[in-house]
């Protein structure tokens, strides 16, 4: 759960600074842990950012 809280804080900061949209934030949150940064090295990672 600690990993989620750290990444959640990062996503909140990105949302408030305008780096990600509300839609992207919701996509990340609804599909976590498949959308977490650590999942990029696994086959089950779900792309949630539109710009990457």
């Amino acid at each position: 759960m600690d990993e989620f809280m750290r990444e959640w804080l990062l996503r909140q900061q990105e949302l408030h600074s305008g780096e990600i949209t509300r839609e992207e934030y919701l996509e990340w949150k609804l599909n976590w842990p498949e959308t977490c940064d650590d999942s990029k090295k696994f086959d089950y990672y779900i792309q949630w950012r539109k710009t990457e």
Side-chain angles (χ1 to χ4, degrees):
M1 192 55 125
D2 226 16
E3 293 174 30
F4 173 75
M5 295 305 291
R6 275 193 288 270
E7 195 163 339
W8 173 77
L9 178 60
L10 175 64
R11 300 298 169 233
Q12 282 287 310
Q13 292 169 341
E14 289 175 337
L15 177 63
H16 291 300
S17 71
E19 290 179 54
I20 62 174
T21 65
R22 186 113 179 106
E23 183 181 282
E24 288 173 317
Y25 172 75
L26 186 60
E27 184 72 22
W28 168 81
K29 190 166 70 168
L30 291 174
N31 291 296
W32 194 89
E34 287 83 12
T35 55
C36 75
D37 288 341
D38 290 341
S39 293
K40 287 181 179 179
K41 55 189 167 192
F42 300 109
D43 291 338
Y44 61 82
Y45 177 74
I46 296 175
Q47 179 68 33
W48 60 274
R49 283 192 181 198
K50 293 180 179 180
T51 57
E52 284 189 345

